[in-house]
Amino acid sequence: MKNFDPSALVEPDRVHRTVYTDPAIFDAEMERIWERTWVYCGHVSQVPRPGDYYAVTIGRQPMFMVRQPDGSVRVLHNRCPHRGVQLVGNLKGNTGSSIVCSYHAWSFHLDGSVRAIPLAQGYEGTRMTRDNPDCGVKPAARVDSYRGFVFASLAREGPSLMEFLGEARVAFDDMCDRSPVGEVEVVPICHRVIQHSNWKFFMENQLDALHPSVTHQSTGIAAGRVEKRLKAQQEKVPLYYHYLSAFASSFEQWNSVQTINFPHGHGILKAYMGLRPQDPDTLAHEALLKQAYGEQRAEEYLSRSIHHVLVYPYLSVQSPLQQLRCLRPISPDKTLSEIWHFRLKGVPEAIYRRSLWYYNLVNSPATMINADDLENWTKGQWGLQSKGGDWVSFHRYFGDDREEGGVTYSNHGTSEAVMRSQFRAWSAYMSAE
Ligand SMILES: [Fe+2]
């Protein structure tokens, strides 16, 4: 798509429905956003030993990240330079000491450079000889990581990873700083969910404080009733009832939860769940952090007001509960989401269990929370594919937010500042040459 002008589709307070449905716009998004910007590949602990690989799709490109003998992690195209066959066939595994193509046994060092071309004399005098760099597996143009989280960009030019993440890097700080050694490790299995909706539905929903008390009302109210009954019976109320009952907080409560909207579409929904109960497990965890970082820094780490951090256009990081959701768009109306969770290194098992409860209550196949969201997004996609209207409204509290240094602070938690900010970023990506 040449000379794409988003201004006909994106206005400051509304967007045209085709940005969610048009296959040509989807292709342009893949090319102009996903195949240019930094895309999250995974955590270093997914590939602990040399030769360990993990397949990842960047935009439309099948790639894999692979651990090197020197401990670094590289990201390569999953394609043999000989006849184009994919080199790793599974989602994850170990290549052994070299990567070998299953078709004609061309083999490559773990950095992608050619190791051996079988029966090499047949190529003598042609351009496909081992001194030609085209005989190696093509790497991602750039790879970088932040606190163990690996990103790749298919564009040689552009902002650095740090510039791209900007303030949103607090997602990884807030997660890792909750460990006394400053590190997390992945729990090596994730929930994979196909959303039958455009990827933008999910990104908008994550900071949409207007929806929980409606969409999640039935679950929230039911959990709240149990919570109350247990309290009345003087019983200990497990924190996981609170995870669910908080969804049914009053409208006024939701409206007081601020969103902070950064450049590049990133953003934060501030904390609304009390996650520092004074039980022995929490106190033991906090004591470990104070020991490691000192009273003041530990308190600073524990009191960051974060529920979610969004790294636009694909990550929702729930750092206080060590959970990360990542999108891989497939088509305008189909999006793969991968939901990972992490263990804080060096903390009591009970803290991990607590996060696991949240992970499963909100995101497992049996969840009552994500299931209700998925239904809305599917119905949203169907509505936008119809001829029942052309525009999607983001008018709520338009003109009411506070701007400061390129950052938009909502004065009301339910402001649609989030969507307006995301579409500013979208337009900038899409109109760039
Ligand atoms: Fe929701």
Side-chain angles (χ1 to χ4, degrees):
M1 194 181 270
K2 292 246 178 303
N3 303 323
F4 181 71
D5 176 14
S7 65
L9 302 172
V10 177
E11 296 178 11
D13 56 359
R14 63 176 194 171
V15 299
H16 195 268
R17 67 180 181 90
T18 49
V19 304
Y20 299 85
T21 59
D22 183 343
I25 291 179
F26 180 82
D27 285 343
E29 287 176 335
M30 292 302 103
E31 192 185 310
R32 293 175 182 225
I33 306 178
W34 299 75
E35 291 169 12
R36 284 187 188 171
T37 195
W38 288 95
V39 169
Y40 177 65
C41 297
H43 190 261
V44 286
S45 58
Q46 283 171 250
V47 287
R49 293 162 303 141
D52 282 350
Y53 71 84
Y54 219 103
V56 55
T57 304
I58 298 184
R60 298 158 297 186
Q61 310 306 317
M63 317 275 297
F64 61 105
M65 59 172 187
V66 57
R67 178 76 78 163
Q68 303 297 303
D70 69 0
S72 63
V73 173
R74 294 204 181 216
V75 179
L76 305 173
H77 281 267
N78 192 4
R79 181 194 188 278
C80 179
H82 177 215
R83 298 274 280 277
V85 170
Q86 293 204 337
L87 290 165
V88 300
N90 294 326
L91 188 58
K92 60 179 177 170
N94 187 285
T95 62
S97 58
S98 59
I99 305 163
V100 184
C101 179
S102 61
Y103 199 8
H104 302 97
W106 282 40
S107 69
F108 308 91
H109 297 291
L110 298 184
D111 64 2
S113 61
V114 69
R115 180 171 176 255
I117 299 175
L119 308 170
Q121 63 276 18
Y123 297 92
E124 275 167 21
T126 78
R127 74 182 95 189
M128 288 307 267
T129 50
R130 51 177 304 135
D131 50 334
N132 178 353
D134 287 349
C135 281
V137 185
K138 192 175 168 189
R142 294 181 292 164
V143 179
D144 201 355
S145 68
Y146 185 66
R147 301 205 70 164
F149 295 83
V150 180
F151 294 77
S153 166
L154 302 187
R156 208 155 283 289
E157 307 290 326
S160 67
L161 176 62
M162 280 308 99
E163 287 163 346
F164 164 73
L165 289 175
E167 296 293 321
R169 68 185 179 280
V170 73
F172 310 105
D173 291 330
D174 188 44
M175 202 190 287
C176 297
D177 289 342
R178 290 167 187 273
S179 150
V181 294
E183 284 177 34
V184 295
E185 63 185 346
V186 76
V187 178
I189 192 153
C190 70
H191 293 313
R192 278 199 170 74
V193 179
I194 296 284
Q195 304 172 354
H196 293 280
S197 50
N198 189 271
W199 59 271
K200 294 187 281 300
F201 270 103
F202 173 87
M203 295 309 284
E204 292 164 15
N205 174 268
Q206 289 300 292
L207 302 194
D208 183 326
L210 187 55
H211 91 281
S213 57
V214 181
T215 302
H216 307 301
Q217 186 185 52
S218 55
T219 306
I221 287 178
R225 278 193 198 126
V226 180
E227 218 177 2
K228 253 191 216 146
R229 199 182 63 221
L230 290 176
K231 260 184 213 156
Q233 293 165 354
Q234 315 280 325
E235 282 188 47
K236 201 171 141 245
V237 188
L239 190 63
Y240 44 78
Y241 285 107
H242 174 64
Y243 292 159
L244 295 177
S245 64
F247 282 99
S249 300
S250 69
F251 170 73
E252 287 70 25
Q253 281 169 301
W254 282 113
N255 214 23
S256 68
V257 183
Q258 190 179 47
T259 62
I260 307 176
N261 302 283
F262 298 119
H264 305 301
H266 310 323
I268 289 177
L269 177 67
K270 284 196 174 177
Y272 65 85
M273 294 192 296
L275 287 180
R276 291 180 72 182
Q278 295 300 293
D279 61 279
D281 297 324
T282 308
L283 294 175
H285 178 206
E286 295 192 359
L288 285 171
L289 296 186
K290 282 172 188 161
Q291 213 176 3
Y293 301 117
E295 191 90 23
Q296 203 183 339
R297 255 170 78 207
E299 190 52 42
E300 186 191 311
Y301 292 164
L302 286 162
S303 56
R304 287 185 179 118
S305 180
I306 293 175
H307 180 69
H308 283 138
V309 184
L310 283 202
V311 178
Y312 190 78
Y314 50 78
L315 279 191
S316 169
V317 184
Q318 199 151 15
S319 43
L321 291 161
Q322 298 86 54
Q323 174 180 280
L324 174 152
R325 285 181 266 189
C326 181
L327 298 185
R328 311 281 180 202
I330 297 167
S331 62
D333 59 356
K334 207 187 230 188
T335 307
L336 169 67
S337 68
E338 296 172 328
I339 309 149
W340 293 95
H341 71 303
F342 298 83
R343 270 176 198 273
L344 297 170
K345 282 194 183 172
V347 313
E349 179 70 9
I351 300 299
Y352 168 67
R353 292 273 145 204
R354 200 160 80 178
S355 299
L356 183 62
W357 268 107
Y358 188 84
Y359 176 73
N360 281 325
L361 279 172
V362 174
N363 289 303
S364 81
T367 176
M368 292 174 290
I369 299 296
N370 200 31
D372 285 335
D373 287 321
L374 288 162
E375 188 190 343
N376 278 342
W377 306 336
T378 304
K379 292 193 298 190
Q381 191 71 27
W382 290 342
L384 297 186
Q385 282 164 2
S386 79
K387 291 185 176 159
D390 279 338
W391 294 94
V392 176
S393 156
F394 298 136
H395 293 85
R396 190 171 174 78
Y397 288 117
F398 181 67
D400 177 71
D401 313 307
R402 184 165 60 86
E403 299 266 350
E404 211 179 287
V407 179
T408 307
Y409 301 84
S410 73
N411 279 322
H412 295 89
T414 65
S415 167
E416 283 162 346
V418 172
M419 299 82 191
R420 297 190 285 265
S421 165
Q422 291 183 2
F423 272 101
R424 269 200 300 277
W426 188 88
S427 294
Y429 277 121
M430 293 293 277
S431 54
E433 267 318 300

